[in-house]
Structure formats: structure tokens, C-alpha cells
């Protein structure tokens, strides 16, 4: 007689085989907490913080959303880990430069560079921000030590730190505004200005804003940051070098 044909289960084509054999579900790709954090940073860099969700990160990693929760408890914990990563990656030098002005400039430029690379970060790290991470506290402690070493009390140093952080965060928000609008409207900076060109020309023709429209170009935000930082440090010099400074 003709040989009996084997059925799907005998050929290993049944549900058990599709699930990975022996009744076990197919394993998802290996996950690590660091891999999840890096994927979330990549999503936020490309799509803005509004586009970053546990579901979106799981899609990026090609795993189930539940797989993420074995490594991070919730979105808030993930946001904190993202901030901690970007600030740890740009750790400040130890020991700080001996000159207080150089030390504070190093710290503020480091923070500025983080915001330029990761525009979403400024929205989480302002003085009333959404997260508090060990790396953020380390940066704050670093700058406070610089100021206290010049004879400032911890309270005085906190006040100065608030002024310095407000400047960097405020400038970063100005610099990232167009980036955020790119995510919202789906256009780059040049396209954004071109679409608004006719509106600006109509306003210029009205003659109501002659000084505003006399400028030849938009200011270079990095150059403006450097200029403002110089004057800001000039402004706090009397507070850093006054009575009580070594």
C-alpha cells in the first residue's frame, strides 16, 4: 500500500512548532534597560517628546509593550532614565577648573550642547521640570561646589544657580521652538520660514516695524548664546568675587 502521509502535527507544523517547539512561546528579542532607554531617546530625537510612548518604543524594538515593563515600571521612570543617560553621557570634568568663571562656562555650555542635540530634554529639566535624576543632581552639585568654594553660602549659590539655569533653559527653548514646530507641522526650518514669507512681506510693507525689518538676517542662536553667557558671567562676577571670596 502507498505510504501514509504525515499530518501537520507529525511534520512539526502545528501550533507547538509555530510557537517555538515543546509548547513554548517564541522568545522576543533580548531586551536590556539600556537598550530601551537608547531606543526611547532615538524616538524623542526624531519625533519629539510627544511622540515618545511605551507603545512607540516597543514598536521600535519590535517587542510587545509588556516586555518593556519588565525593565521600566512606567513612562515616568523611562523619561527619568532618558534624562539621566544624556546628562551622564556628558559628565562634567573632575575636579572642576580652578577658575570659577571657566568652570561655570564649561557646565553651562555642556548643558546647552545637550539641549541642542536633544531638543526635547529642556522641557523636562527646567527648574519646574518633570523629572529629577541622579545625573541632574550631580550637575547641580558640581556648580554649587564651584560657587561655595568662592565663599558663597549654599543659599547664595542656589540663587545664582537658578539665574544661570534659567538663562540656559530659556535660550534652549527659543532655539528648539522651530524644531518642535517641525514635529507638529511636518516641515523643516527653511520650509517654515518660506510658508510665512508672504505674511512677513505684507507686515514689512505696512511700514509699522521699520527697525524690526531692517535686520539683514535672523540671529545665529549659538552665537547669541555665547554673547549672552559672557555678559551673564560678567554680571555675576561682583557676587562671586565680593566679600567672602577667597
Amino acid at each position: 500500500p502507498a505510504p501514509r502521509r504525515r499530518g501537520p502535527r507529525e511534520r512539526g507544523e502545528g501550533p507547538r512548532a509555530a510557537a517555538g517547539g515543546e509548547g513554548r512561546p517564541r522568545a522576543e528579542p533580548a531586551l536590556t534597560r539600556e537598550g530601551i532607554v537608547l531606543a526611547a531617546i532615538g524616538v524623542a530625537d526624531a519625533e519629539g517628546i510627544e511622540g515618545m510612548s511605551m507603545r512607540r518604543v516597543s514598536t521600535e524594538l519590535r517587542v510587545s509593550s509588556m516586555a518593556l515593563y519588565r525593565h521600566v515600571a512606567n513612562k515616568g521612570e523611562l523619561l527619568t532614565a532618558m534624562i539621566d543617560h544624556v546628562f551622564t553621557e556628558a559628565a562634567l570634568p573632575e575636579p572642576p577648573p580652578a577658575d570659577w568663571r571657566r568652570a561655570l562656562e564649561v557646565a553651562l555650555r555642556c548643558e546647552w550642547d545637550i539641549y541642542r542635540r536633544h531638543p526635547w530634554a529642556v522641557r523636562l529639566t527646567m527648574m519646574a521640570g518633570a523629572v529629577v535624576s541622579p545625573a541632574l543632581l550631580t550637575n547641580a552639585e558640581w556648580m554649587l561646589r564651584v560657587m561655595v568654594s568662592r565663599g558663597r553660602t549654599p543659599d547664595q549659590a542656589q540663587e545664582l544657580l537658578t539665574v544661570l539655569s534659567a538663562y540656559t533653559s530659556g535660550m534652549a527653548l527659543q532655539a528648539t521652538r522651530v524644531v518642535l514646530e517641525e514635529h507638529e507641522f511636518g516641515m523643516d526650518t527653511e520650509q517654515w520660514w518660506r510658508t510665512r514669507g508672504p505674511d512677513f512681506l505684507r507686515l514689512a510693507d505696512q511700514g509699522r516695524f521699520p527697525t524690526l525689518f531692517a535686520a539683514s538676517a535672523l540671529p545665529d542662536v549659538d552665537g547669541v548664546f555665547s554673547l549672552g553667557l559672557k555678559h551673564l558671567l560678567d554680571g555675576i562676577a561682583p557676587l562671586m568675587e565680593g566679600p567672602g571670596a577667597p
Side-chain angles (χ1 to χ4, degrees):
R4 183 176 64 87
R5 298 185 62 183
R6 293 182 299 165
R9 288 184 181 275
E10 295 173 288
R11 295 198 303 268
E13 298 171 1
R16 288 164 60 108
E22 301 302 322
R24 294 189 300 272
R26 181 181 289 114
E28 292 181 313
L31 275 181
T32 64
R33 182 181 175 88
E34 182 181 12
I36 294 170
V37 171
L38 291 175
I41 290 172
V43 170
D45 286 346
E47 303 174 19
I49 201 65
E50 296 84 356
M52 203 291 295
S53 66
M54 300 293 277
R55 182 181 296 276
R56 178 66 184 86
V57 175
S58 68
T59 300
E60 189 73 14
L61 292 171
R62 298 183 180 180
V63 299
S64 67
S65 297
M66 290 306 299
L68 302 186
Y69 289 104
R70 291 195 285 269
H71 300 273
V72 289
N74 48 50
K75 181 179 177 180
E77 183 177 311
L78 181 55
L79 291 173
T80 299
M82 291 163 64
I83 289 295
D84 205 47
H85 182 88
V86 298
F87 274 83
T88 300
E89 200 174 39
L92 296 172
E94 288 290 354
D99 178 66
W100 71 265
R101 186 182 183 114
R102 175 59 183 156
L104 294 181
E105 182 177 355
V106 165
L108 295 174
R109 286 191 179 279
C110 176
E111 190 173 343
W112 174 252
D113 289 342
I114 290 172
Y115 295 151
R116 295 294 274 156
R117 291 196 307 273
H118 308 288
W120 51 269
V122 67
R123 303 179 67 182
L124 301 178
T125 57
M126 296 171 64
M127 295 303 290
V131 303
V132 176
S133 79
L136 276 180
L137 296 179
T138 298
N139 274 29
E141 175 71 16
W142 192 96
M143 286 190 277
L144 290 172
R145 279 194 286 123
V146 168
M147 291 182 270
V148 170
S149 72
R150 295 296 303 178
R152 304 307 91 190
T153 68
D155 287 337
Q156 290 170 335
Q158 287 277 11
E159 291 173 355
L160 290 173
L161 179 60
T162 301
V163 172
L164 296 171
S165 296
Y167 171 72
T168 308
S169 298
M171 282 296 299
L173 283 173
Q174 289 293 318
T176 60
R177 182 181 60 189
V178 174
V179 175
L180 296 174
E181 287 173 341
E182 286 177 21
H183 295 311
E184 183 178 352
F185 298 113
M187 61 181 71
D188 62 23
T189 305
E190 183 177 353
Q191 290 171 328
W192 188 91
W193 282 106
R194 284 185 182 279
T195 60
R196 284 154 179 77
D199 295 330
F200 284 121
L201 288 174
R202 281 194 295 272
L203 290 170
D205 289 342
Q206 292 175 11
R208 296 168 55 198
F209 313 103
T211 309
L212 176 63
F213 287 104
S216 60
L218 292 172
D220 168 47
V221 69
D222 291 298
V224 171
F225 175 80
S226 295
L227 177 65
L229 179 59
K230 175 185 179 302
H231 289 300
L232 180 59
L233 295 176
D234 287 343
I236 69 168
L239 302 174
M240 290 295 296
E241 299 173 354

